[in-house]
Amino acid sequence: MKTRARMAPAPQDRQTDMGRLRLLLALDALLRENSVSRAAASVGLQPSAMSRLLSQLREQYDDPLFLRTGHGLRPTPLAEALRLRVRALAAETEALFHRSGDAAATSNAAHSGWEGVGLIAAPPLAARPSLMLDGEPTPEAFAAKLARIGDDAAPQRRLARNIATIGTGAGRSRPLSETEAEDALAIILAGEADPVQIGALMAALQYRGATAVEIAGFVRAIRRHIGATSRGAADLDWPCYLSPKLKTAPWFLHAARLVASAGFRVVLHGHYGEQGAERGKLEIAAARSGIAVCASLDDAKSALARTGIVYLPLPALSPQIYRLLGLYGLMEMRIPLGSAVHLINPMGARTSLLGVANTAARTLSRDIALLLGVKELTILGNTRDHAEFTPYRQTPLFRLVGGEVEDLVIPALTAPPAEARTGLSTREYWEAVWTGAARDERAETTIVTTAATALLSLGNSSDFEAACETARALWAGRSRQMAR
């Protein structure tokens, strides 16, 4: 039998392999330093050379790999997924250039014979930074330690693993997968987490910036926690999680009433903060509007079938989530859970109407929706925490139609009329506009355009102006609705 001679790789192939190894070592430096200049200095290159290597890496992987932020470079999900493999390759490359005695000492370190429980307990917090501690584990050893905490571990151990996964610094951290994020929040919602763990997880995610994948995992955990339905009991989901700093009247509730009067089933859910004298504002407004305020998801299903519009206060939907959002008062910062609650769609409505003012947050919300398989969605781009149209400012509409991105920009109307001055309270005036006892062009235009946006999201009209015409007709005919 003839044996084929093994052909040596062509010189250009060897050169390609060497070039790829150089690229991977450059990627390791960038992942460690989160900075082009620092990564270049760590491997003895000029920043311009490191920038060229980053460009080649981006072309090789067809991914930006790093995004520029105020805190330096942020790795993309693909770069994070490569982190540990690249670090292991770089560590092995370094080890191959060590003397054999050093390598042997390193290989025996995992079984030194000194394993055991210490006789003296360590204090709760170390007195020195972890980077100064002797015998610090390598990133590879750290990843292996986390991997030993299995999915069947006790809840607090699993949550500790997730906190360590996201919060232990460059070279070790990575975003949570959707499954990991879902498990982390499920543990918290079940009341099985230590309070310190809750604060650590939320603060670490907020500081780094939660990914769409992580928040999608949170949404799935919340849906499971509250028993959300996917059977489509509603037509329109309308989240309204208002800041207590917002002192304007809830005109969007009048718009929701118009949409319900057109025969669509509307579900509002949210709250008005947990502090201050007006914390019951939405419940009072809904009740005085004839919108059923429901104490549970089952109550909401029954009321929706009868009346076509319901409001689910967050404390009734989930006291645990309500308390978690209340951490704002302890931290003076929002937490990623605030982005998740807008997308829970508790009654499986076929479309949702959100208000998200920040450009990056709008993109993030739509990315989360796509991960959740949402096909129909409209995000009003100049209100925060609730969907209410601002007709006297240019308004971007970020939409999903049939699962495809379809955006609109609605131009601003002419200068708004002056706000009316009356002796009525804000609530009394809000009610008087609905009944016709007070005429306010500014408020009426806000209500009509907000209802038009909802009708557009529902597919009731082909374009925004046609939706406005329908909404104006509903506004004009609301007197018949009041008479019934």
Side-chain angles (χ1 to χ4, degrees):
M1 182 174 69
K2 294 182 179 181
T3 303
R4 293 183 63 184
R6 185 178 180 184
M7 295 182 64
Q12 61 269 27
D13 294 334
R14 290 198 298 270
Q15 187 176 5
T16 299
D17 291 342
M18 292 173 64
R20 286 175 175 169
L21 178 59
R22 188 166 184 252
L23 287 176
L24 291 175
L25 293 176
L27 178 58
D28 174 66
L30 289 163
L31 286 166
R32 282 188 285 107
E33 301 294 343
N34 289 329
S35 162
V36 170
S37 58
R38 291 198 301 269
S42 72
V43 295
L45 292 177
Q46 293 295 320
S48 58
M50 183 60 71
S51 292
R52 286 194 295 273
L53 292 174
L54 178 55
S55 297
Q56 293 175 40
L57 282 162
R58 285 168 166 164
E59 183 177 352
Q60 184 76 29
Y61 284 104
D62 191 24
D63 186 88
L65 294 178
F66 296 90
L67 304 175
R68 295 192 181 278
T69 71
H71 300 287
L73 298 179
R74 179 198 287 181
T76 65
L78 174 61
E80 288 288 2
L82 296 171
R83 183 190 291 274
L84 291 181
R85 294 175 62 190
V86 172
R87 179 84 285 270
L89 173 66
E92 181 63 19
T93 302
E94 294 163 4
L96 288 172
F97 286 95
H98 290 170
R99 290 177 299 171
S100 58
D102 292 341
T106 302
S107 64
N108 290 331
H111 303 286
S112 64
W114 294 102
E115 294 84 1
V117 179
L119 299 178
I120 301 175
L125 293 176
R128 297 157 60 197
S130 62
L131 291 177
M132 297 174 61
L133 297 176
D134 295 332
E136 181 191 7
T138 64
E140 297 78 28
F142 184 76
K145 181 183 76 170
L146 293 187
R148 287 195 291 272
I149 303 175
D151 292 338
D152 57 348
Q156 287 192 5
R157 287 281 288 159
R158 299 203 313 274
L159 189 54
R161 177 188 63 187
N162 290 326
I163 295 168
T165 297
I166 65 170
T168 49
R172 292 176 172 177
S173 302
R174 65 165 175 82
L176 299 177
S177 69
E178 191 171 322
T179 301
E180 289 170 332
E182 182 177 355
D183 183 52
L185 188 59
I187 291 168
I188 293 171
L189 294 179
E192 297 176 315
D194 185 273
V196 173
Q197 290 181 307
I198 297 171
L201 179 71
M202 294 301 168
L205 282 172
Q206 184 69 13
Y207 179 77
R208 190 208 65 206
T211 66
V213 171
E214 289 167 328
I215 298 179
F218 282 0
V219 174
R220 293 191 189 280
I222 295 171
R223 287 179 174 176
R224 186 151 48 91
H225 173 69
I226 65 175
T229 180
S230 59
R231 294 192 298 271
D235 296 308
L236 178 63
D237 182 68
W238 199 320
C240 40
Y241 293 81
L242 279 63
S243 166
K245 298 175 183 177
L246 185 70
K247 300 303 180 184
T248 58
W251 301 114
F252 68 94
L253 284 181
H254 289 336
R257 297 167 73 183
L258 294 183
V259 175
S261 71
F264 296 104
R265 298 164 298 171
V266 180
V267 174
L268 300 120
H269 56 92
H271 74 114
Y272 188 69
E274 66 167 7
Q275 298 176 349
E278 296 185 3
R279 59 183 176 271
K281 182 176 183 176
L282 285 179
E283 286 91 331
I284 293 169
R288 296 187 72 90
S289 301
I291 299 173
V293 179
C294 301
S296 69
L297 202 55
D298 287 337
D299 287 347
K301 293 174 185 176
S302 300
L304 187 64
R306 294 193 313 271
T307 66
I309 182 168
V310 297
Y311 171 61
L312 261 168
L314 184 61
L317 193 60
S318 171
Q320 187 78 335
I321 298 171
Y322 176 73
R323 290 302 180 195
L324 285 170
L325 292 180
L327 290 175
Y328 179 91
L330 294 176
M331 300 181 176
E332 281 300 323
M333 70 175 187
R334 294 192 168 208
I335 59 176
L337 200 62
S339 298
V341 292
H342 290 81
L343 289 158
I344 58 177
N345 193 0
M347 298 183 67
R350 57 186 175 91
T351 188
S352 296
L353 183 62
L354 281 63
V356 184
N358 181 274
T359 302
R362 291 193 295 257
T363 302
L364 179 68
S365 294
R366 188 158 59 184
D367 288 346
I368 297 164
L370 287 168
L371 287 169
L372 295 169
V374 173
K375 300 295 184 185
E376 307 291 334
L377 174 76
T378 298
I379 300 173
L380 275 165
N382 55 14
T383 54
R384 189 178 77 169
D385 302 328
H386 69 294
E388 184 173 284
F389 201 88
T390 49
Y392 300 103
R393 289 163 48 194
Q394 179 175 280
T395 303
L397 300 182
F398 294 79
R399 307 181 64 209
L400 288 175
V401 180
E404 299 294 328
V405 171
E406 187 176 304
D407 295 342
L408 292 174
V409 176
I410 310 301
L413 299 179
T414 56
E419 293 187 14
R421 294 181 179 274
T422 70
L424 301 175
S425 68
T426 303
R427 178 186 59 77
E428 290 169 335
Y429 188 71
W430 174 78
E431 291 179 319
V433 169
W434 176 264
T435 62
R439 295 299 305 275
D440 186 327
E441 181 183 344
R442 184 186 188 121
E444 291 177 15
T445 304
T446 297
I447 295 165
V448 166
T449 50
T450 301
T453 308
L455 293 170
L456 189 68
S457 186
L458 286 160
N460 178 259
S461 299
S462 57
D463 59 62
F464 186 73
E465 188 50 47
C468 283
E469 288 298 324
T470 303
R472 290 188 193 101
L474 292 169
W475 177 252
R478 72 191 186 285
S479 57
R480 292 191 296 274
Q481 179 187 356
M482 290 185 288
R484 285 198 295 267

